[in-house]
Amino acid sequence: PRVAMLASHIGSHFAIESGRSPLLERIAEDVCIRSFLDDPSTPLLIVTFDAALPENGLSFSQSLPDGLHHLIFVKIQQDSISVENFLDNVCITSLSASPVASLFNTVRKVYEPLLLKDSRWSQVFDSKLQHLLSELGAGLGQALRLDTTNGQSGNSILSPVDEFQYWAEVSRSATQLLDRERAQFFYQIFQPLVSDYTNIGALEVQAMMELVERTYEALDTAWKQVDFDPYPASRMKKLLEVLGAAFATAVPQTLASVSVWTGDFVKEVRDPLRAAQTVCAKWLNLCTELTGTFWNNDDTQPWTLGVFHDERVTILHKRIEQVVSLRQQHEQIVRLLSPEEQDILGVSDALTVFNGVPPLLCNAYTEAIWQGTVIEYGHAMQSAESKVAEKLRTQFKLANQASPQQLLREFQRYQGLILRPGISRELISERETLLAELSAQIETIRNEFARCNTTSLADDASTSKKRGDRQ
């Protein structure tokens, strides 16, 4: 059972398929595993994963070997490990990339919030130790930002503020005066943005739009400056990535108080969603304009890394658009049906399928759930859509009797509903009627234009002939 517990943790962490090789037997036979389980004086078990290695790509040791991915089992008390004491006596942690990066992320995201902000622990944790913990987090962050191996790429930059702080730190620590002046120059460009990006999740949507515009100016100024060595392209690309990630995280937070599926669409939902969509569109436009047009054609430092496409914000923008369309279509269906019809056809309860599905939580794992829910909603609305199609058919018939222009206006009025697959199928005849009417009108206009053009040419020719006869 002890070996099975270790195998479960190791297999889950490294996503090892059980069919690749007998992992359980391999672990049971390993000397380091046996030592960790049975020898009270063995404090560590380090599991390293390398896909190039045989036997599931795993190696076991009591000291840290080379490699990027480690799972570490730490024995808290000097004792042998049993099934009964495993949870109490074994601490499990992981190590990726560098030890500094792993320690920084653990301190910043686990222990600082727990020991400095959580009232259960911060009140009993010594204030001097709290200060030391804060200094440790700040020092580790500075060490990562100033790591010379990341100087050009900015791989250690995890947020916009990290990048801004990097230039502030270089302006104080660089050995060469010119390097300090260059860093100070870049920091002065970004410094007005520090406060807003530190608290971006608390910004109102309008302030977020203004932040995009100010970011545009700051990035453009930093890239086009000619007083110092250019801003590293790979570092700028990394900055665009973390800026986009900040907006992709903050925009849904602005909608946290909006009842997307149950709130009144016109009064409570529509405007906040469209404002959030505008923020996404502004950011995507910034990326396209700077890296696809202005920087690409810059004489001093042309951008050569291709147009930057922010996938996260693009997906969020598309999702918001889908939510707006769904709610808008649903509202139009509600307006076209009487309260009795809504109850009979189940319209009132159709949106409940989205309960428990965060509409703006967008990633590869939630996409299937979202699409499945949209399909389920479509099935729930089939009867209602058939009834709505009947009513639209009547309205379109009356409109066409009035004039083709009136029919076109009715189609434009309900264009969102007509995009619904079920309604679109049932209104094929009406769509063909509109197409025929529009085609006939276009042909009439074309013939009229040709006739007028022929008459005009004939008049011009006659006038020229008369002038020639007089001469």
Side-chain angles (χ1 to χ4, degrees):
R2 301 180 304 165
V3 174
M5 294 179 75
L6 284 176
S8 176
H9 285 292
I10 295 169
S12 298
H13 183 78
F14 293 116
I16 296 174
E17 299 177 9
S18 58
R20 284 185 60 187
S21 72
L23 179 61
L24 193 64
E25 290 82 352
R26 166 85 196 285
I27 291 178
E29 297 170 358
D30 190 89
V31 174
C32 292
I33 296 282
R34 304 307 311 184
S35 176
F36 178 75
L37 292 174
D38 297 330
D39 186 348
S41 65
T42 302
L44 291 176
L45 171 65
I46 300 175
V47 185
T48 302
F49 178 77
D50 185 342
L53 293 174
E55 300 292 343
N56 294 103
L58 297 175
S59 64
F60 307 98
S61 65
Q62 263 88 50
S63 60
L64 192 65
D66 293 334
L68 291 178
H69 304 288
H70 309 280
L71 183 64
I72 304 173
F73 296 85
V74 181
K75 190 179 293 182
I76 299 174
Q77 297 180 359
Q78 290 188 342
D79 196 356
S80 59
I81 302 300
S82 65
V83 173
E84 291 74 22
N85 70 9
F86 189 94
L87 292 178
D88 295 325
N89 200 29
V90 177
C91 178
I92 305 173
T93 187
S94 62
L95 183 63
S96 298
S98 73
V100 175
S102 293
L103 180 58
F104 169 73
N105 286 311
T106 302
V107 169
R108 178 59 54 87
K109 297 177 181 179
V110 178
Y111 292 107
E112 282 189 0
L114 190 63
L115 297 176
L116 303 183
K117 300 177 182 179
D118 191 317
S119 59
R120 293 173 298 172
W121 298 100
S122 61
Q123 294 178 1
V124 297
F125 192 53
D126 186 87
S127 60
K128 292 182 179 179
L129 294 178
Q130 288 183 337
H131 178 69
L132 289 174
L133 182 61
S134 297
E135 286 193 338
L136 175 62
L140 290 169
Q142 182 175 1
L144 278 177
R145 289 187 289 268
L146 296 179
D147 186 352
T148 56
T149 61
N150 292 318
Q152 295 295 313
S153 65
N155 287 332
S156 61
I157 301 304
L158 304 177
S159 72
V161 176
D162 282 345
E163 177 68 2
F164 307 155
Q165 193 62 33
Y166 165 79
W167 293 111
E169 290 161 355
V170 173
S171 71
R172 297 189 295 267
S173 63
T175 56
Q176 299 295 323
L177 176 61
L178 189 60
D179 291 338
R180 293 198 299 273
E181 291 178 344
R182 174 174 175 262
Q184 180 64 24
F185 177 82
F186 286 136
Y187 179 66
Q188 287 176 346
I189 293 174
F190 294 131
Q191 194 275 333
L193 306 176
V194 171
S195 177
D196 282 338
Y197 276 106
T198 300
N199 304 290
I200 187 171
L203 294 181
E204 299 289 338
V205 174
Q206 185 58 44
M208 214 172 283
M209 293 184 193
E210 295 172 0
L211 179 59
V212 174
E213 295 173 0
R214 288 162 48 216
T215 302
Y216 187 115
E217 296 298 327
L219 294 175
D220 197 41
T221 301
W223 183 258
K224 290 183 176 179
Q225 63 83 27
V226 295
D227 296 327
F228 301 96
D229 286 345
Y231 205 100
S234 57
R235 195 171 190 98
M236 179 61 78
K237 183 178 180 181
K238 180 65 176 180
L239 177 55
L240 289 171
E241 290 175 0
V242 297
L243 286 166
F247 283 110
T249 302
V251 167
Q253 292 176 351
T254 67
L255 301 170
S257 62
V258 178
S259 300
V260 173
W261 302 117
T262 59
D264 185 286
F265 178 67
V266 175
K267 296 180 180 179
E268 303 172 13
V269 179
R270 181 182 59 190
D271 290 345
L273 283 175
R274 286 180 174 171
Q277 193 174 10
T278 300
V279 174
C280 295
K282 278 180 170 290
W283 172 252
L284 294 174
N285 183 64
L286 175 153
C287 296
T288 301
E289 282 192 1
L290 291 182
T291 63
T293 303
F294 298 131
W295 293 355
N296 194 40
N297 299 315
D298 187 60
D299 294 332
T300 57
Q301 187 188 5
W303 179 264
T304 60
L305 298 182
V307 180
F308 177 73
H309 298 286
D310 195 314
E311 185 176 356
R312 283 188 63 182
V313 178
T314 299
I315 293 173
L316 178 61
H317 181 268
K318 181 181 178 181
R319 177 65 62 82
I320 296 174
E321 186 176 13
Q322 289 177 321
V323 173
V324 171
S325 295
L326 278 170
R327 281 302 316 262
Q328 201 162 29
Q329 293 164 1
H330 191 87
E331 291 303 306
Q332 286 187 314
I333 289 174
V334 168
R335 287 198 297 269
L336 286 167
L337 298 175
S338 67
E340 293 78 11
E341 291 171 328
Q342 293 175 37
D343 290 338
I344 293 171
L345 299 172
V347 174
S348 303
D349 298 327
L351 287 175
T352 59
V353 300
F354 291 101
N355 291 346
V357 180
L360 304 183
L361 190 60
C362 310
N363 58 55
Y365 300 99
T366 60
E367 181 64 20
I369 298 174
W370 167 257
Q371 293 299 339
T373 309
V374 170
I375 292 172
E376 185 180 353
Y377 167 77
H379 291 159
M381 293 293 290
Q382 282 181 348
S383 298
E385 289 181 357
S386 295
K387 186 66 176 180
V388 165
E390 291 178 16
K391 297 196 173 192
L392 289 178
R393 186 178 293 113
T394 301
Q395 288 188 217
F396 292 159
K397 183 178 180 179
L398 294 174
N400 193 34
Q401 291 174 354
S403 69
Q405 291 82 2
Q406 182 63 31
L407 177 61
L408 176 60
R409 281 193 287 271
E410 287 296 298
F411 264 85
Q412 290 173 329
R413 179 183 176 187
Y414 295 107
Q415 61 181 335
L417 273 183
I418 297 170
L419 291 175
R420 298 285 305 168
I423 295 177
S424 180
R425 282 193 302 269
E426 297 210 24
L427 295 177
I428 290 178
S429 176
E430 286 69 26
R431 288 157 52 207
E432 291 176 345
T433 298
L434 175 63
L435 179 60
E437 294 286 359
L438 292 177
S439 298
Q441 285 214 338
I442 292 172
E443 186 63 26
T444 300
I445 293 171
R446 183 183 290 115
N447 292 336
E448 182 66 20
F449 177 79
R451 185 187 66 77
C452 293
N453 193 42
T454 302
T455 302
S456 177
L457 291 174
D459 291 343
D460 290 344
S462 176
T463 302
S464 298
K465 184 176 184 301
K466 289 179 181 179
R467 287 176 180 171
D469 291 343
R470 286 198 297 270
Q471 292 176 354

